[in-house]
């Protein structure tokens, strides 16, 4: 049996161990789970820069010990100059996935940190921002060891990113590929974080730092400008809620696919999942089939909430989920179209001694985002706006000021037996599928938390560099599971035994007696830190 990490006072999990340690150190210093998450978010932006950064977006689910959970939407909007005509006039049939024209939405994550700290202050938080960003500034200035993940990502993506403004200066070491274990410094990022401490987080959008960022963006040819930065503000929202037989499950509102993750669990709750064997072909098949139905909802409805024609909470109503579940067959796979593809990001969780719990996700979309690194600030800007369509009639049609669709969705649950759970993962199309794997294994089948995260996973959809939408399985699945899925009509493709394609998942649980446990993904460089 795999051992689950346990603690009595506070606990944190992140896909890089230094980020979880930053979070724990803040809670040891008297900070709460929200303050700890800001510290972890700053650290992970520095130590895992190929997966996330302050040039991206983020989303929060905050679950207080008592009272209603809080969601924070820190998604930046499209530039005022980002029109379909602006791209068509450049003879482009689609928004580029890399480069300045991919950097067409404001980076919202810093605004999310600010909004979260406002919630933290309402709960009595008192630590200064200088304390929360201390580790990140030090790691950026003095350097951190390159991870195998960063080395592999740089090697893989360098051919397509080497020509992007600032990329080689930021991500190569003395002009050469960074190798695992080498010291990786980011002095410009250290300065930028120090400016945020000096002038406040709002300065990212409306201050001296904002002016530098706007000038850098203009200098590389992005459509963003200072007016766009000034218009960006994170929003506090009520999270989506699923009534599950095991308790209440929460996730993020649109423009994320949080409704998809909840719909999968809602369908599974109706198709007899608890009656099949855990990790069997039946288990995987039912989750995959529920995923197909939930993706239909996503592709029909989910976009900027200002443009939605359907209340996302209504998609999780009992009647709606009953109708989806009625179409699921245990013996046959339904036809499958196209997914939204992969996405790289990070998920992290924290729980403090009071029981305050945070589920957080931060992303620059593809590995290294747009690949554009701003000259003065060292910020690697996201390419989230590449998810917009240049078809004016498309659900995700580009429009000035519109929020892009996000695969990101942090999850949380309050179970009927008194447990509180926060969980999530990176991984585009894989996010709701991995959430379903972890939740079903731990909550429905009663597996140990670490087993639920470590066990072999699956992914329906595309991965980097592939056009196939196969059902991908890690090779650790028994042959009888592989054969059982193939017999139902699934096009099965086998990946490595522990494949990073499956994402970096994590989970934390607080038990009714206050005991804490956590699980980190062996596919990542992460760890659980607790005391």
């Amino acid at each position: 049996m795999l051992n689950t990490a346990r603690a009595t006072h506070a606990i944190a999990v992140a896909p890089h161990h230094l980020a979880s340690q930053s979070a724990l150190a803040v809670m040891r210093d008297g900070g709460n789970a929200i303050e700890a998450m800001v510290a972890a978010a700053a650290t992970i932006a520095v130590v895992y820069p190929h997966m996330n950064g302050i040039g991206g977006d983020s989303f929060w689910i905050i679950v207080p010990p008592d009272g209603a959970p809080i969601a924070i939407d820190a998604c930046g909007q499209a530039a005022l100059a980002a029109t379909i005509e602006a791209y068509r006039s450049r003879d482009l049939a689609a928004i580029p996935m890399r480069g300045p024209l991919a950097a067409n939405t404001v980076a919202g994550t810093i605004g999310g940190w600010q909004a979260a700290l406002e919630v933290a202050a309402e709960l009595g938080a008192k630590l200064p921002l200088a304390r929360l960003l201390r580790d990140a500034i030090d790691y950026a200035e003095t350097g951190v060891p390159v991870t195998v993940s960063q080395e592999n990502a740089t090697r893989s993506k360098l051919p397509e990113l080497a020509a992007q403004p600032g990329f080689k200066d930021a991500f190569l070491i003395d002009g050469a590929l960074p190798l695992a274990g080498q010291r990786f410094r980011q002095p410009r990022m250290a300065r930028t974080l120090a400016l945020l401490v000096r002038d406040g987080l709002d300065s990212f959008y409306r201050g001296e730092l904002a002016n530098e960022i706007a000038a850098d963006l203009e200098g590389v040819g992005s459509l963003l400008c200072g007016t766009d930065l000034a218009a960006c503000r994170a929003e506090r929202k009520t999270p989506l809620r699923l009534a599950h037989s095991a308790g209440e499950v929460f996730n993020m509102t649109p423009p994320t696919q949080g409704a998809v993750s909840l719909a999968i669990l809602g369908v599974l709750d109706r198709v007899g999942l608890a009656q099949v064997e855990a990790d069997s072909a039946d288990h995987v098949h039912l989750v995959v089939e529920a995923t197909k139905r939930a993706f239909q909802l996503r592709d029909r409805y989910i976009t900027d909430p200002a443009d939605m024609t359907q209340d996302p909470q209504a998609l999780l109503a009992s009647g709606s989920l009953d109708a989806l579940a009625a179409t699921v067959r245990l013996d046959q796979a339904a036809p499958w179209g196209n997914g939204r593809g992969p996405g790289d990001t990070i998920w992290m969780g924290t729980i403090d001694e009071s029981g305050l719990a945070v589920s957080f996700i931060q992303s620059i979309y593809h590995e290294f985002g747009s690949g554009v690194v701003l000259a003065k600030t060292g910020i690697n800007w996201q390419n989230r706006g590449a998810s917009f369509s240049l078809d004016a009639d498309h659900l995700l049609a580009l429009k000035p000021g519109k929020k892009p669709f996000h695969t990101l969705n942090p999850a949380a649950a309050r179970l009927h037996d008194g447990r509180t759970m926060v969980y999530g993962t990176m991984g585009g199309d894989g996010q709701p599928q991995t959430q379903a794997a972890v939740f079903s294994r731990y909550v429905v089948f009663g597996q140990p938390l670490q087993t639920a995260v470590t066990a072999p996973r699956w992914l329906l959809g595309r991965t980097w560099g592939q056009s196939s939408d196969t059902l991908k399985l890690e090779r650790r699945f028994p042959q009888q599971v592989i054969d059982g899925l193939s017999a139902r009509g699934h096009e099965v493709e086998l990946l490595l035994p522990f494949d990073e394609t499956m994402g970096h998942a994590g989970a934390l649980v607080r038990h009714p007696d206050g005991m804490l446990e956590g699980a980190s993904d062996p596919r990542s460089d992460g760890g659980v830190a607790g005391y």
Side-chain angles (χ1 to χ4, degrees), residues 4 34 38 41 93 97 193 232 276 304 312 330 343 348 470:
T4 298
I34 299 172
V38 170
M97 299 306 293
L193 293 171
C232 183
V276 306
D304 184 330
L330 184 60
M348 301 188 293
T470 55

Side-chain angles (χ1 to χ4, degrees), residues 60-290:
W60 299 66
I61 300 291
I62 299 169
V63 184
D66 301 295
I70 298 165
I72 294 175
D73 173 349
C75 170
Q77 79 286 359
L80 292 175
T83 63
I84 292 175
E85 292 73 22
Y87 287 89
R88 296 292 189 196
S89 67
R90 292 170 167 85
D91 295 324
L92 294 170
I95 297 171
M97 299 306 293
R98 305 291 195 178
L101 291 177
N104 61 7
T105 62
V106 179
T109 197
I110 296 296
W113 299 2
Q114 183 179 18
L117 289 177
E118 291 170 359
V119 176
E122 294 168 11
L123 298 174
K126 296 179 180 178
L127 291 184
L129 185 62
R131 171 63 190 88
L132 305 184
L133 303 194
R134 186 177 70 193
D135 285 358
I137 293 171
D138 176 66
Y139 292 141
E141 184 65 43
T142 64
V144 292
V146 173
T147 62
V148 172
S149 178
Q150 182 180 344
E151 177 189 336
N152 291 341
T154 309
R155 177 182 291 106
S156 172
K157 301 305 173 184
L158 185 58
E160 68 187 77
L161 293 174
Q164 298 306 332
F167 183 83
K168 290 193 292 185
D169 288 342
F171 288 109
L172 301 185
I173 298 178
D174 296 327
L177 181 78
L179 302 177
Q182 280 188 291
R183 187 183 295 269
F184 180 68
R185 294 184 175 91
Q186 300 167 82
R188 289 176 296 168
M189 181 56 60
R191 172 184 174 272
T192 296
L193 293 171
L195 286 176
L196 288 172
V197 169
R198 188 192 74 183
D199 299 336
L201 296 175
D202 194 62
S203 65
F204 190 94
Y205 306 97
R206 293 161 284 274
E208 178 183 320
L209 181 57
N211 293 335
E212 288 191 359
I213 292 170
D216 276 351
L217 287 165
E218 180 181 2
V220 298
S222 168
L223 298 175
L224 289 163
C225 68
T227 301
D228 298 314
L229 293 174
C232 183
R233 284 182 168 80
E235 300 177 79
R236 192 184 301 192
K237 295 190 171 184
T238 299
L240 298 178
R241 171 189 170 274
L242 171 72
H244 190 276
S245 60
E248 290 185 310
V249 192
F250 306 98
N251 214 304
M252 193 63 212
T253 55
T256 81
Q257 63 176 343
V260 173
S261 294
L262 294 180
I264 292 171
L265 298 184
V267 169
L268 292 173
D269 209 23
R270 290 162 166 78
V271 296
L273 178 66
Q275 279 69 59
V276 306
E277 181 183 350
D279 296 326
S280 64
D282 288 345
H283 178 191
V284 177
H285 170 77
L286 287 175
V287 178
V288 170
E289 293 305 295

Side-chain angles (χ1 to χ4, degrees), residues 192-480:
T192 296
L193 293 171
L195 286 176
L196 288 172
V197 169
R198 188 192 74 183
D199 299 336
L201 296 175
D202 194 62
S203 65
F204 190 94
Y205 306 97
R206 293 161 284 274
E208 178 183 320
L209 181 57
N211 293 335
E212 288 191 359
I213 292 170
D216 276 351
L217 287 165
E218 180 181 2
V220 298
S222 168
L223 298 175
L224 289 163
C225 68
T227 301
D228 298 314
L229 293 174
C232 183
R233 284 182 168 80
E235 300 177 79
R236 192 184 301 192
K237 295 190 171 184
T238 299
L240 298 178
R241 171 189 170 274
L242 171 72
H244 190 276
S245 60
E248 290 185 310
V249 192
F250 306 98
N251 214 304
M252 193 63 212
T253 55
T256 81
Q257 63 176 343
V260 173
S261 294
L262 294 180
I264 292 171
L265 298 184
V267 169
L268 292 173
D269 209 23
R270 290 162 166 78
V271 296
L273 178 66
Q275 279 69 59
V276 306
E277 181 183 350
D279 296 326
S280 64
D282 288 345
H283 178 191
V284 177
H285 170 77
L286 287 175
V287 178
V288 170
E289 293 305 295
T291 298
K292 292 175 182 177
R293 275 68 176 181
F295 279 0
Q296 291 172 3
L297 295 180
R298 178 190 71 181
D299 296 343
R300 183 176 180 182
Y301 297 116
I302 305 300
T303 184
D304 184 330
D307 293 337
M308 285 186 62
T309 59
Q310 177 75 29
D311 176 6
Q313 186 62 56
L315 299 175
L316 304 171
S318 182
S320 175
L321 296 175
D322 289 345
L324 291 178
T327 68
V328 174
R329 291 182 54 176
L330 184 60
D331 63 339
Q332 185 175 340
W336 167 240
N338 296 313
R340 290 283 172 81
D344 282 291
T345 180
I346 58 90
W347 175 88
M348 301 188 293
T350 53
I351 304 177
D352 66 25
E353 192 164 19
S354 75
L356 177 66
V358 176
S359 182
F360 172 82
I361 201 160
Q362 182 168 270
S363 176
I364 48 175
Y365 196 25
H366 291 184
E367 290 160 315
F368 299 107
S370 68
V372 174
V373 181
L374 304 185
K376 295 178 184 175
T377 60
I379 298 171
N380 180 25
W381 211 264
Q382 66 182 351
N383 63 334
R384 182 60 61 174
S387 64
F388 284 121
S389 171
L390 296 184
D391 178 355
D393 296 323
H394 196 281
L395 179 69
L396 305 182
L398 176 63
K399 186 172 62 176
K402 185 175 182 177
K403 290 186 175 183
F405 169 79
H406 267 278
T407 53
L408 310 185
N409 61 115
R414 281 175 170 160
L415 304 179
H416 291 318
D417 62 10
R419 286 177 291 173
T420 297
M421 179 181 185
V422 291
Y423 62 106
T425 182
M426 58 166 272
D429 277 349
Q431 284 195 33
Q433 300 180 64
T434 294
Q435 286 188 19
V438 173
F439 186 91
S440 62
R441 284 167 168 159
Y442 177 72
V443 176
V444 178
F445 295 116
Q447 294 183 359
L449 192 63
Q450 186 61 59
T451 299
V453 170
T454 301
R457 293 207 292 266
W458 60 89
L459 169 65
L460 177 67
R462 289 175 289 118
T463 56
W464 293 123
Q466 297 178 329
S467 59
S468 62
D469 279 284
T470 55
L471 175 58
K472 297 166 178 64
L473 303 177
E474 289 183 319
R475 291 182 183 274
R476 289 178 293 137
F477 275 105
Q479 190 62 45
Q480 65 186 33

